[in-house]
Each structure stands twice: as structure tokens, then as C-alpha cells.
Amino acid sequence: QKEVEQNSGPLSVPEGAIASLNCTYSDRGSQSFFWYRQYSGKSPELIMFIYSNGDKEDGRFTAQLNKASQYVSLLIRDSQPSDSATYLCAVKAGGTSYGKLTFGQGTILTVHP
Amino acid sequence: DAGVIQSPRHEVTEMGQEVTLRCKPISGHDYLFWYRQTMMRGLELLIYFNNNVPIDDSGMPEDRFSAKMPNASFSTLKIQPSEPRDSAVYFCASSARGGLTEAFFGQGTRLTVV
């Protein structure tokens, strides 16, 4: 089992719709969770992070965390063509692997006008 | 701050040659990560350092790969000898200490081994 798994997609949504991206992780001791966005040919850049169960909202983005289910998601409301990118879920380990940051495969999102 | 700086940005080398990738982390960051990205395998963690000490190198694919961090402001990833399957984008990232701190990425080095 991979440490961090994402649906590779691609995911295609119309402009203005909600895009839903999902991620599961295997280590129950994981302490924090990150969503990065990566445009083609560029480096990953942070969108937001979450560490407590529940929802965290930042503008059009909402991250959701369910530690019991070992599940993290990212919702993008009012999707724009500029949101078209690869979205990477990352998990930071705790315990003996404290600080280790592992990424999922990434989900390719396309927002079409 | 200039961010994480990697060099070179592009490297084309022949199979069998030694390749050295360089990284300067953000000043004050305690953690440094080396990742490799390919279409097939995504962003793989190769090795990470804490306070210049290698903590986990289980992602290093083979003995041909080695990484060092001689001081807090410099790290290298070396491949010797290089093979065509090593062709990928290699990213260096750094983060401050703490569970909620994000990792900042360098621009990456696109390596092509012919």
C-alpha cells in the first residue's frame, strides 16, 4: 500500500463548478496534511494545510480532514480555468519519522470554459 | 530571501557519466528534502536531512545515488554512473522545524541522460 494515494484523474469540471480532490494515507501517526498545486513545468506551491479533524476554508478552497478514515480532501469552489493544474496531497509524518513529507501521485485537474 | 536555489536548471549527460545536483536551502530551515518527479512515479522522496544529518534515505533507488549535506546552506545529490532511466526532474525543498510548516521547493533540475 502506498503511503499517500490520490485519484490520478484526470478530473475535468466546467468553469464555475466545484472540483473535489481526494487523498488517503496509511500512517495513523501522521500529524499534518498539505495541498500543493503544480502548474506544468513549475515547482509545487502550497495552497493550504490542515491538521485538525474537520474543515478549513481559505477563499475558494476548503480542506477537509477525517483522521479516523485517514482521508483528506480539497474542494475548489467556483472553479476557474486558471485552476487547471496538478494537485498534490502531502502528508507529514510524526513519531520516529517526524518531519518526513511524502506526496501522493497527484490529480490532474482541467477546468474548461 | 531568494528561496531554495538549485543548480543547474537543466543537465544533459551521457550514460555512465557522474552527475551532481546542487541545492541551497532557505536560511534557517532545519529540514532539506530531495525529490524525483516522473510522469510514471510522481513525486518520490529520495532522502531528507534534519540539521544536516540524513534521517531517511530509504527512497534512494540504488547505490548509484548518494546525497550529502556538509553544512546548513548546501546539499548535493550525486548519481554515479548515470543511466537513461535516471532522467527526471529533481527537486530540492526545505522547511523550518515544526509539524505545520510547509516545504518550499526549488525550481528543479531537469536531468536527461542519453
mmCIF file of all heavy atoms in Angstrom, chain B residues 11-55:
data_model
loop_
_atom_site.group_PDB
_atom_site.id
_atom_site.type_symbol
_atom_site.label_atom_id
_atom_site.label_comp_id
_atom_site.label_asym_id
_atom_site.label_seq_id
_atom_site.Cartn_x
_atom_site.Cartn_y
_atom_site.Cartn_z
ATOM 1 N N GLU B 11 20.323 19.659 -17.191
ATOM 2 C CA GLU B 11 21.567 18.903 -17.322
ATOM 3 C C GLU B 11 21.331 17.784 -18.322
ATOM 4 O O GLU B 11 20.390 16.989 -18.171
ATOM 5 C CB GLU B 11 21.983 18.321 -15.975
ATOM 6 C CG GLU B 11 23.222 17.442 -16.000
ATOM 7 C CD GLU B 11 24.505 18.251 -15.981
ATOM 8 O OE1 GLU B 11 24.519 19.322 -15.373
ATOM 9 O OE2 GLU B 11 25.499 17.784 -16.566
ATOM 10 N N VAL B 12 22.165 17.755 -19.335
ATOM 11 C CA VAL B 12 22.130 16.663 -20.302
ATOM 12 C C VAL B 12 23.481 15.975 -20.228
ATOM 13 O O VAL B 12 24.524 16.628 -20.345
ATOM 14 C CB VAL B 12 21.865 17.158 -21.738
ATOM 15 C CG1 VAL B 12 21.838 15.978 -22.701
ATOM 16 C CG2 VAL B 12 20.553 17.932 -21.800
ATOM 17 N N THR B 13 23.457 14.686 -20.009
ATOM 18 C CA THR B 13 24.714 13.967 -19.855
ATOM 19 C C THR B 13 24.623 12.610 -20.535
ATOM 20 O O THR B 13 23.531 12.118 -20.832
ATOM 21 C CB THR B 13 25.053 13.788 -18.369
ATOM 22 O OG1 THR B 13 26.382 13.298 -18.231
ATOM 23 C CG2 THR B 13 24.104 12.798 -17.705
ATOM 24 N N GLU B 14 25.758 12.031 -20.768
ATOM 25 C CA GLU B 14 25.783 10.712 -21.395
ATOM 26 C C GLU B 14 25.769 9.617 -20.332
ATOM 27 O O GLU B 14 26.307 9.800 -19.233
ATOM 28 C CB GLU B 14 27.033 10.570 -22.268
ATOM 29 C CG GLU B 14 27.011 11.467 -23.501
ATOM 30 C CD GLU B 14 28.193 11.213 -24.413
ATOM 31 O OE1 GLU B 14 29.160 10.538 -23.973
ATOM 32 O OE2 GLU B 14 28.164 11.683 -25.563
ATOM 33 N N MET B 15 25.170 8.530 -20.701
ATOM 34 C CA MET B 15 25.116 7.375 -19.814
ATOM 35 C C MET B 15 26.520 7.036 -19.318
ATOM 36 O O MET B 15 27.473 7.040 -20.087
ATOM 37 C CB MET B 15 24.515 6.192 -20.569
ATOM 38 C CG MET B 15 24.351 4.938 -19.758
ATOM 39 S SD MET B 15 23.479 3.655 -20.681
ATOM 40 C CE MET B 15 24.607 3.388 -22.025
ATOM 41 N N GLY B 16 26.603 6.761 -18.013
ATOM 42 C CA GLY B 16 27.883 6.402 -17.430
ATOM 43 C C GLY B 16 28.622 7.547 -16.777
ATOM 44 O O GLY B 16 29.546 7.330 -15.997
ATOM 45 N N GLN B 17 28.194 8.778 -17.093
ATOM 46 C CA GLN B 17 28.852 9.940 -16.517
ATOM 47 C C GLN B 17 28.324 10.211 -15.104
ATOM 48 O O GLN B 17 27.209 9.828 -14.738
ATOM 49 C CB GLN B 17 28.621 11.174 -17.394
ATOM 50 C CG GLN B 17 29.249 11.067 -18.771
ATOM 51 C CD GLN B 17 30.754 10.915 -18.692
ATOM 52 O OE1 GLN B 17 31.452 11.737 -18.082
ATOM 53 N NE2 GLN B 17 31.284 9.870 -19.310
ATOM 54 N N GLU B 18 29.133 10.920 -14.340
ATOM 55 C CA GLU B 18 28.720 11.353 -12.997
ATOM 56 C C GLU B 18 27.938 12.655 -13.100
ATOM 57 O O GLU B 18 28.314 13.555 -13.878
ATOM 58 C CB GLU B 18 29.951 11.564 -12.122
ATOM 59 C CG GLU B 18 29.643 12.078 -10.726
ATOM 60 C CD GLU B 18 30.900 12.250 -9.886
ATOM 61 O OE1 GLU B 18 31.579 11.245 -9.623
ATOM 62 O OE2 GLU B 18 31.195 13.398 -9.494
ATOM 63 N N VAL B 19 26.883 12.745 -12.335
ATOM 64 C CA VAL B 19 26.053 13.945 -12.321
ATOM 65 C C VAL B 19 25.951 14.438 -10.885
ATOM 66 O O VAL B 19 25.714 13.642 -9.969
ATOM 67 C CB VAL B 19 24.629 13.638 -12.840
ATOM 68 C CG1 VAL B 19 23.739 14.857 -12.705
ATOM 69 C CG2 VAL B 19 24.683 13.166 -14.288
ATOM 70 N N THR B 20 26.131 15.718 -10.687
ATOM 71 C CA THR B 20 25.986 16.311 -9.352
ATOM 72 C C THR B 20 24.984 17.445 -9.402
ATOM 73 O O THR B 20 25.144 18.397 -10.163
ATOM 74 C CB THR B 20 27.328 16.834 -8.819
ATOM 75 O OG1 THR B 20 28.261 15.752 -8.723
ATOM 76 C CG2 THR B 20 27.142 17.433 -7.430
ATOM 77 N N LEU B 21 23.946 17.314 -8.591
ATOM 78 C CA LEU B 21 22.922 18.346 -8.477
ATOM 79 C C LEU B 21 23.132 19.079 -7.156
ATOM 80 O O LEU B 21 23.465 18.456 -6.144
ATOM 81 C CB LEU B 21 21.521 17.719 -8.516
ATOM 82 C CG LEU B 21 21.269 16.726 -9.660
ATOM 83 C CD1 LEU B 21 19.836 16.210 -9.588
ATOM 84 C CD2 LEU B 21 21.563 17.341 -11.002
ATOM 85 N N ARG B 22 22.885 20.399 -7.181
ATOM 86 C CA ARG B 22 23.192 21.214 -6.018
ATOM 87 C C ARG B 22 21.958 21.947 -5.511
ATOM 88 O O ARG B 22 21.063 22.280 -6.285
ATOM 89 C CB ARG B 22 24.296 22.212 -6.364
ATOM 90 C CG ARG B 22 25.612 21.527 -6.731
ATOM 91 C CD ARG B 22 26.645 22.508 -7.238
ATOM 92 N NE ARG B 22 27.930 21.867 -7.475
ATOM 93 C CZ ARG B 22 28.224 21.124 -8.527
ATOM 94 N NH1 ARG B 22 27.329 20.945 -9.482
ATOM 95 N NH2 ARG B 22 29.417 20.578 -8.642
ATOM 96 N N CYS B 23 21.967 22.199 -4.209
ATOM 97 C CA CYS B 23 20.820 22.860 -3.590
ATOM 98 C C CYS B 23 21.277 23.744 -2.438
ATOM 99 O O CYS B 23 22.082 23.341 -1.591
ATOM 100 C CB CYS B 23 19.829 21.815 -3.072
ATOM 101 S SG CYS B 23 18.430 22.502 -2.159
ATOM 102 N N LYS B 24 20.719 24.944 -2.419
ATOM 103 C CA LYS B 24 20.915 25.858 -1.292
ATOM 104 C C LYS B 24 19.547 26.089 -0.665
ATOM 105 O O LYS B 24 18.669 26.696 -1.296
ATOM 106 C CB LYS B 24 21.507 27.176 -1.763
ATOM 107 C CG LYS B 24 21.655 28.219 -0.666
ATOM 108 C CD LYS B 24 22.267 29.495 -1.224
ATOM 109 C CE LYS B 24 22.186 30.650 -0.239
ATOM 110 N NZ LYS B 24 22.809 30.329 1.057
ATOM 111 N N PRO B 25 19.333 25.617 0.564
ATOM 112 C CA PRO B 25 18.019 25.780 1.198
ATOM 113 C C PRO B 25 17.809 27.205 1.691
ATOM 114 O O PRO B 25 18.739 28.022 1.697
ATOM 115 C CB PRO B 25 18.081 24.799 2.369
ATOM 116 C CG PRO B 25 19.539 24.750 2.730
ATOM 117 C CD PRO B 25 20.279 24.891 1.429
ATOM 118 N N ILE B 26 16.594 27.472 2.125
ATOM 119 C CA ILE B 26 16.296 28.771 2.717
ATOM 120 C C ILE B 26 17.002 28.863 4.065
ATOM 121 O O ILE B 26 16.977 27.914 4.854
ATOM 122 C CB ILE B 26 14.774 28.940 2.880
ATOM 123 C CG1 ILE B 26 14.121 29.040 1.492
ATOM 124 C CG2 ILE B 26 14.440 30.163 3.716
ATOM 125 C CD1 ILE B 26 12.601 29.034 1.513
ATOM 126 N N SER B 27 17.612 30.012 4.305
ATOM 127 C CA SER B 27 18.359 30.205 5.538
ATOM 128 C C SER B 27 17.455 30.005 6.752
ATOM 129 O O SER B 27 16.341 30.531 6.808
ATOM 130 C CB SER B 27 18.941 31.627 5.557
ATOM 131 O OG SER B 27 19.617 31.865 6.760
ATOM 132 N N GLY B 28 17.947 29.227 7.716
ATOM 133 C CA GLY B 28 17.195 28.991 8.941
ATOM 134 C C GLY B 28 16.321 27.747 8.909
ATOM 135 O O GLY B 28 15.772 27.352 9.934
ATOM 136 N N HIS B 29 16.182 27.146 7.747
ATOM 137 C CA HIS B 29 15.382 25.925 7.661
ATOM 138 C C HIS B 29 16.180 24.725 8.155
ATOM 139 O O HIS B 29 17.357 24.574 7.839
ATOM 140 C CB HIS B 29 14.921 25.700 6.219
ATOM 141 C CG HIS B 29 13.736 26.524 5.852
ATOM 142 N ND1 HIS B 29 13.043 26.355 4.663
ATOM 143 C CD2 HIS B 29 13.091 27.511 6.516
ATOM 144 C CE1 HIS B 29 12.030 27.211 4.631
ATOM 145 N NE2 HIS B 29 12.042 27.920 5.735
ATOM 146 N N ASP B 30 15.480 23.862 8.918
ATOM 147 C CA ASP B 30 16.153 22.713 9.521
ATOM 148 C C ASP B 30 16.079 21.450 8.669
ATOM 149 O O ASP B 30 16.857 20.539 8.851
ATOM 150 C CB ASP B 30 15.503 22.381 10.878
ATOM 151 C CG ASP B 30 15.602 23.522 11.857
ATOM 152 O OD1 ASP B 30 16.692 23.710 12.410
ATOM 153 O OD2 ASP B 30 14.588 24.222 12.052
ATOM 154 N N TYR B 31 15.072 21.402 7.797
ATOM 155 C CA TYR B 31 14.837 20.191 7.012
ATOM 156 C C TYR B 31 15.138 20.454 5.543
ATOM 157 O O TYR B 31 14.774 21.510 4.996
ATOM 158 C CB TYR B 31 13.381 19.725 7.142
ATOM 159 C CG TYR B 31 13.054 19.109 8.479
ATOM 160 C CD1 TYR B 31 12.661 19.911 9.547
ATOM 161 C CD2 TYR B 31 13.153 17.735 8.674
ATOM 162 C CE1 TYR B 31 12.377 19.344 10.777
ATOM 163 C CE2 TYR B 31 12.856 17.161 9.902
ATOM 164 C CZ TYR B 31 12.475 17.981 10.951
ATOM 165 O OH TYR B 31 12.185 17.419 12.169
ATOM 166 N N LEU B 32 15.768 19.461 4.922
ATOM 167 C CA LEU B 32 16.014 19.529 3.485
ATOM 168 C C LEU B 32 15.614 18.196 2.868
ATOM 169 O O LEU B 32 15.938 17.130 3.397
ATOM 170 C CB LEU B 32 17.493 19.828 3.187
ATOM 171 C CG LEU B 32 17.830 19.997 1.699
ATOM 172 C CD1 LEU B 32 18.785 21.160 1.479
ATOM 173 C CD2 LEU B 32 18.360 18.733 1.086
ATOM 174 N N PHE B 33 14.872 18.295 1.771
ATOM 175 C CA PHE B 33 14.339 17.114 1.092
ATOM 176 C C PHE B 33 14.836 17.091 -0.356
ATOM 177 O O PHE B 33 14.895 18.128 -1.013
ATOM 178 C CB PHE B 33 12.805 17.154 1.056
ATOM 179 C CG PHE B 33 12.139 17.342 2.391
ATOM 180 C CD1 PHE B 33 11.949 18.613 2.915
ATOM 181 C CD2 PHE B 33 11.685 16.253 3.107
ATOM 182 C CE1 PHE B 33 11.325 18.800 4.136
ATOM 183 C CE2 PHE B 33 11.052 16.420 4.336
ATOM 184 C CZ PHE B 33 10.869 17.692 4.854
ATOM 185 N N TRP B 34 15.114 15.895 -0.845
ATOM 186 C CA TRP B 34 15.377 15.666 -2.267
ATOM 187 C C TRP B 34 14.258 14.774 -2.816
ATOM 188 O O TRP B 34 13.992 13.703 -2.276
ATOM 189 C CB TRP B 34 16.718 14.989 -2.501
ATOM 190 C CG TRP B 34 17.906 15.891 -2.427
ATOM 191 C CD1 TRP B 34 18.793 16.026 -1.392
ATOM 192 C CD2 TRP B 34 18.376 16.779 -3.449
ATOM 193 N NE1 TRP B 34 19.763 16.940 -1.701
ATOM 194 C CE2 TRP B 34 19.535 17.423 -2.964
ATOM 195 C CE3 TRP B 34 17.926 17.095 -4.736
ATOM 196 C CZ2 TRP B 34 20.254 18.361 -3.715
ATOM 197 C CZ3 TRP B 34 18.639 18.023 -5.476
ATOM 198 C CH2 TRP B 34 19.779 18.645 -4.970
ATOM 199 N N TYR B 35 13.621 15.254 -3.901
ATOM 200 C CA TYR B 35 12.569 14.500 -4.565
ATOM 201 C C TYR B 35 12.935 14.298 -6.032
ATOM 202 O O TYR B 35 13.659 15.087 -6.629
ATOM 203 C CB TYR B 35 11.236 15.270 -4.519
ATOM 204 C CG TYR B 35 10.629 15.433 -3.154
ATOM 205 C CD1 TYR B 35 10.899 16.572 -2.387
ATOM 206 C CD2 TYR B 35 9.757 14.481 -2.638
ATOM 207 C CE1 TYR B 35 10.325 16.729 -1.134
ATOM 208 C CE2 TYR B 35 9.183 14.636 -1.385
ATOM 209 C CZ TYR B 35 9.471 15.762 -0.640
ATOM 210 O OH TYR B 35 8.900 15.918 0.606
ATOM 211 N N ARG B 36 12.358 13.241 -6.597
ATOM 212 C CA ARG B 36 12.466 12.994 -8.032
ATOM 213 C C ARG B 36 11.046 12.907 -8.586
ATOM 214 O O ARG B 36 10.183 12.237 -7.986
ATOM 215 C CB ARG B 36 13.216 11.682 -8.293
ATOM 216 C CG ARG B 36 13.319 11.296 -9.752
ATOM 217 C CD ARG B 36 14.194 10.083 -9.957
ATOM 218 N NE ARG B 36 13.634 8.857 -9.409
ATOM 219 C CZ ARG B 36 14.203 7.660 -9.534
ATOM 220 N NH1 ARG B 36 15.367 7.547 -10.171
ATOM 221 N NH2 ARG B 36 13.640 6.589 -9.020
ATOM 222 N N GLN B 37 10.801 13.559 -9.702
ATOM 223 C CA GLN B 37 9.461 13.553 -10.294
ATOM 224 C C GLN B 37 9.500 13.021 -11.713
ATOM 225 O O GLN B 37 10.246 13.522 -12.559
ATOM 226 C CB GLN B 37 8.834 14.954 -10.267
ATOM 227 C CG GLN B 37 7.374 14.948 -10.691
ATOM 228 C CD GLN B 37 6.694 16.285 -10.475
ATOM 229 O OE1 GLN B 37 7.265 17.348 -10.740
ATOM 230 N NE2 GLN B 37 5.469 16.264 -9.958
ATOM 231 N N THR B 38 8.680 12.017 -11.971
ATOM 232 C CA THR B 38 8.465 11.488 -13.318
ATOM 233 C C THR B 38 6.975 11.322 -13.543
ATOM 234 O O THR B 38 6.191 11.292 -12.581
ATOM 235 C CB THR B 38 9.148 10.119 -13.505
ATOM 236 O OG1 THR B 38 8.576 9.197 -12.560
ATOM 237 C CG2 THR B 38 10.649 10.191 -13.281
ATOM 238 N N MET B 39 6.583 11.212 -14.786
ATOM 239 C CA MET B 39 5.163 11.018 -15.092
ATOM 240 C C MET B 39 4.663 9.714 -14.493
ATOM 241 O O MET B 39 3.550 9.642 -13.981
ATOM 242 C CB MET B 39 4.954 11.021 -16.602
ATOM 243 C CG MET B 39 5.104 12.385 -17.241
ATOM 244 S SD MET B 39 3.800 13.516 -16.741
ATOM 245 C CE MET B 39 2.393 12.730 -17.525
ATOM 246 N N MET B 40 5.499 8.688 -14.572
ATOM 247 C CA MET B 40 5.054 7.368 -14.131
ATOM 248 C C MET B 40 4.951 7.261 -12.606
ATOM 249 O O MET B 40 4.012 6.653 -12.091
ATOM 250 C CB MET B 40 6.027 6.302 -14.644
ATOM 251 C CG MET B 40 5.935 6.053 -16.126
ATOM 252 S SD MET B 40 4.338 5.350 -16.583
ATOM 253 C CE MET B 40 4.447 3.749 -15.776
ATOM 254 N N ARG B 41 5.908 7.833 -11.897
ATOM 255 C CA ARG B 41 6.015 7.587 -10.463
ATOM 256 C C ARG B 41 5.662 8.789 -9.604
ATOM 257 O O ARG B 41 5.631 8.694 -8.369
ATOM 258 C CB ARG B 41 7.419 7.099 -10.132
ATOM 259 C CG ARG B 41 7.809 5.817 -10.879
ATOM 260 C CD ARG B 41 9.269 5.480 -10.637
ATOM 261 N NE ARG B 41 9.471 5.019 -9.264
ATOM 262 C CZ ARG B 41 9.382 3.752 -8.885
ATOM 263 N NH1 ARG B 41 9.104 2.822 -9.776
ATOM 264 N NH2 ARG B 41 9.588 3.410 -7.627
ATOM 265 N N GLY B 42 5.376 9.915 -10.227
ATOM 266 C CA GLY B 42 5.014 11.096 -9.458
ATOM 267 C C GLY B 42 6.208 11.681 -8.726
ATOM 268 O O GLY B 42 7.343 11.565 -9.169
ATOM 269 N N LEU B 43 5.935 12.310 -7.581
ATOM 270 C CA LEU B 43 6.969 12.988 -6.798
ATOM 271 C C LEU B 43 7.420 12.044 -5.689
ATOM 272 O O LEU B 43 6.722 11.847 -4.695
ATOM 273 C CB LEU B 43 6.374 14.271 -6.227
ATOM 274 C CG LEU B 43 7.311 15.320 -5.648
ATOM 275 C CD1 LEU B 43 8.274 15.837 -6.713
ATOM 276 C CD2 LEU B 43 6.506 16.479 -5.068
ATOM 277 N N GLU B 44 8.589 11.483 -5.856
ATOM 278 C CA GLU B 44 9.120 10.500 -4.906
ATOM 279 C C GLU B 44 10.137 11.153 -3.974
ATOM 280 O O GLU B 44 11.048 11.836 -4.445
ATOM 281 C CB GLU B 44 9.854 9.385 -5.652
ATOM 282 C CG GLU B 44 9.080 8.596 -6.652
ATOM 283 C CD GLU B 44 10.019 7.628 -7.377
ATOM 284 O OE1 GLU B 44 10.681 8.065 -8.347
ATOM 285 O OE2 GLU B 44 10.103 6.459 -6.963
ATOM 286 N N LEU B 45 10.013 10.872 -2.702
ATOM 287 C CA LEU B 45 11.005 11.332 -1.734
ATOM 288 C C LEU B 45 12.219 10.405 -1.798
ATOM 289 O O LEU B 45 12.091 9.195 -1.612
ATOM 290 C CB LEU B 45 10.419 11.327 -0.321
ATOM 291 C CG LEU B 45 11.389 11.704 0.807
ATOM 292 C CD1 LEU B 45 11.867 13.149 0.656
ATOM 293 C CD2 LEU B 45 10.720 11.503 2.167
ATOM 294 N N LEU B 46 13.370 10.996 -2.066
ATOM 295 C CA LEU B 46 14.598 10.197 -2.143
ATOM 296 C C LEU B 46 15.282 10.126 -0.782
ATOM 297 O O LEU B 46 15.643 9.049 -0.300
ATOM 298 C CB LEU B 46 15.563 10.800 -3.168
ATOM 299 C CG LEU B 46 15.042 10.907 -4.600
ATOM 300 C CD1 LEU B 46 16.078 11.580 -5.494
ATOM 301 C CD2 LEU B 46 14.676 9.536 -5.145
ATOM 302 N N ILE B 47 15.466 11.281 -0.148
ATOM 303 C CA ILE B 47 16.171 11.368 1.119
ATOM 304 C C ILE B 47 15.803 12.680 1.776
ATOM 305 O O ILE B 47 15.453 13.642 1.085
ATOM 306 C CB ILE B 47 17.701 11.284 0.905
ATOM 307 C CG1 ILE B 47 18.480 11.250 2.228
ATOM 308 C CG2 ILE B 47 18.198 12.431 0.021
ATOM 309 C CD1 ILE B 47 19.974 10.964 2.063
ATOM 310 N N TYR B 48 15.836 12.716 3.125
ATOM 311 C CA TYR B 48 15.694 14.009 3.776
ATOM 312 C C TYR B 48 16.667 14.118 4.945
ATOM 313 O O TYR B 48 17.081 13.114 5.541
ATOM 314 C CB TYR B 48 14.251 14.302 4.182
ATOM 315 C CG TYR B 48 13.720 13.630 5.431
ATOM 316 C CD1 TYR B 48 13.636 14.322 6.635
ATOM 317 C CD2 TYR B 48 13.239 12.336 5.382
ATOM 318 C CE1 TYR B 48 13.105 13.729 7.767
ATOM 319 C CE2 TYR B 48 12.707 11.725 6.511
ATOM 320 C CZ TYR B 48 12.629 12.427 7.699
ATOM 321 O OH TYR B 48 12.101 11.832 8.827
ATOM 322 N N PHE B 49 17.047 15.362 5.212
ATOM 323 C CA PHE B 49 18.010 15.698 6.252
ATOM 324 C C PHE B 49 17.332 16.558 7.319
ATOM 325 O O PHE B 49 16.442 17.362 7.018
ATOM 326 C CB PHE B 49 19.172 16.525 5.664
ATOM 327 C CG PHE B 49 20.025 15.802 4.662
ATOM 328 C CD1 PHE B 49 19.630 15.701 3.328
ATOM 329 C CD2 PHE B 49 21.228 15.246 5.032
ATOM 330 C CE1 PHE B 49 20.427 15.065 2.395
ATOM 331 C CE2 PHE B 49 22.038 14.607 4.107
ATOM 332 C CZ PHE B 49 21.630 14.511 2.788
ATOM 333 N N ASN B 50 17.775 16.387 8.541
ATOM 334 C CA ASN B 50 17.404 17.279 9.625
ATOM 335 C C ASN B 50 18.692 17.775 10.271
ATOM 336 O O ASN B 50 19.506 16.971 10.726
ATOM 337 C CB ASN B 50 16.532 16.569 10.654
ATOM 338 C CG ASN B 50 16.139 17.482 11.806
ATOM 339 O OD1 ASN B 50 16.074 18.698 11.659
ATOM 340 N ND2 ASN B 50 15.852 16.903 12.962
ATOM 341 N N ASN B 51 18.860 19.090 10.292
ATOM 342 C CA ASN B 51 20.090 19.668 10.845
ATOM 343 C C ASN B 51 21.337 19.023 10.235
ATOM 344 O O ASN B 51 22.270 18.635 10.962
ATOM 345 C CB ASN B 51 20.100 19.549 12.373
ATOM 346 C CG ASN B 51 19.065 20.442 13.023
ATOM 347 O OD1 ASN B 51 18.794 21.550 12.562
ATOM 348 N ND2 ASN B 51 18.459 19.950 14.092
ATOM 349 N N ASN B 52 21.319 18.877 8.930
ATOM 350 C CA ASN B 52 22.442 18.376 8.132
ATOM 351 C C ASN B 52 22.666 16.872 8.248
ATOM 352 O O ASN B 52 23.576 16.339 7.611
ATOM 353 C CB ASN B 52 23.759 19.091 8.470
ATOM 354 C CG ASN B 52 23.628 20.589 8.564
ATOM 355 O OD1 ASN B 52 22.730 21.178 7.976
ATOM 356 N ND2 ASN B 52 24.517 21.211 9.315
ATOM 357 N N VAL B 53 21.858 16.184 9.029
ATOM 358 C CA VAL B 53 22.027 14.750 9.231
ATOM 359 C C VAL B 53 20.991 13.998 8.394
ATOM 360 O O VAL B 53 19.797 14.313 8.481
ATOM 361 C CB VAL B 53 21.852 14.376 10.715
ATOM 362 C CG1 VAL B 53 21.953 12.869 10.901
ATOM 363 C CG2 VAL B 53 22.894 15.089 11.569
ATOM 364 N N PRO B 54 21.430 13.010 7.593
ATOM 365 C CA PRO B 54 20.440 12.234 6.826
ATOM 366 C C PRO B 54 19.575 11.398 7.772
ATOM 367 O O PRO B 54 20.095 10.653 8.603
ATOM 368 C CB PRO B 54 21.308 11.355 5.916
ATOM 369 C CG PRO B 54 22.632 11.268 6.600
ATOM 370 C CD PRO B 54 22.809 12.547 7.345
ATOM 371 N N ILE B 55 18.272 11.530 7.646
ATOM 372 C CA ILE B 55 17.335 10.850 8.538
ATOM 373 C C ILE B 55 16.750 9.603 7.876
ATOM 374 O O ILE B 55 16.612 8.563 8.511
ATOM 375 C CB ILE B 55 16.199 11.788 8.973
ATOM 376 C CG1 ILE B 55 16.762 13.046 9.638
ATOM 377 C CG2 ILE B 55 15.234 11.064 9.898
ATOM 378 C CD1 ILE B 55 17.591 12.784 10.877
#
